[in-house]
Amino acid sequence: MKAAALGPDFAFRPMREPDLDAIMLSEAAACDFPWEKEVFRECLRVGYNCWVADLGRLVVAHAVMSIGADECHVLNICVHPQWQGLGVGRRLLRRLLAQARERGADTAFLEVRASNQLARKLYAAEGFCEIGTRRGYYPARNGREDAVVLALAL
């Protein structure tokens, strides 16, 4: 199934507090070390750009981005495993970047696990370039894992 075949009920909308339980299910299914619910709650409280992709009333993906000082930082993009491979993550990323441009950001930054080859491939295809490494940035099953730092001129 292609992203275009997701149907007319597929839409992006701002994240809301009642979405957090569904978001936590996606985080747990997709991530070995998911964000805590309180982190999402705080992101909503401080006004970060927080979005969900839903299909009817089913939240299938979510994203969080901060914007300030002429730059944005993509903090979290997560697609529930049942919906991965359909272009949902790519479409969500593009929506975030369009909003960052509209708000005057000229550079986008993000970190990605060094081992996350699918995400790294997506970000490279969208024009992100590697600019550095944060050693031991992420928790891992056997200690810590490096983050690859990426940037994109908007």
Side-chain angles (χ1 to χ4, degrees), residues 59-104:
V59 173
V60 299
H62 58 274
V64 176
M65 175 181 67
S66 66
I67 302 174
D70 299 328
E71 64 186 46
C72 72
H73 195 138
V74 178
L75 301 169
N76 186 316
I77 294 182
C78 179
V79 179
H80 191 285
Q82 292 178 338
W83 299 96
Q84 291 176 2
L86 302 175
V88 175
R90 182 181 309 272
R91 289 170 65 183
L92 193 50
L93 175 64
R94 287 178 177 173
R95 174 173 281 288
L96 292 176
L97 297 176
Q99 290 181 335
R101 285 183 192 98
E102 289 171 12
R103 300 229 349 240

Side-chain angles (χ1 to χ4, degrees), residues 34-130:
W35 278 20
E36 298 289 330
K37 184 187 256 186
E38 193 55 40
V39 174
F40 287 102
R41 190 173 281 123
E42 183 66 9
C43 289
L44 287 169
R45 188 189 70 74
V46 300
Y48 285 175
N49 276 7
C50 302
W51 288 85
V52 297
D54 69 23
L55 188 58
R57 293 188 174 149
L58 178 65
V59 173
V60 299
H62 58 274
V64 176
M65 175 181 67
S66 66
I67 302 174
D70 299 328
E71 64 186 46
C72 72
H73 195 138
V74 178
L75 301 169
N76 186 316
I77 294 182
C78 179
V79 179
H80 191 285
Q82 292 178 338
W83 299 96
Q84 291 176 2
L86 302 175
V88 175
R90 182 181 309 272
R91 289 170 65 183
L92 193 50
L93 175 64
R94 287 178 177 173
R95 174 173 281 288
L96 292 176
L97 297 176
Q99 290 181 335
R101 285 183 192 98
E102 289 171 12
R103 300 229 349 240
D106 56 27
T107 307
F109 296 97
L110 61 82
E111 291 88 16
V112 61
R113 284 181 181 274
S115 65
N116 191 342
Q117 293 303 313
L118 287 176
R120 291 177 68 178
K121 183 177 175 182
L122 166 66
Y123 297 136
E126 293 300 312
F128 280 86
C129 297
E130 184 174 334

Side-chain angles (χ1 to χ4, degrees), residues 1-17:
M1 179 196 290
K2 298 286 184 204
L6 288 169
D9 290 338
F10 181 79
F12 296 109
R13 63 171 173 76
M15 185 186 294
R16 301 183 302 250
E17 178 91 19

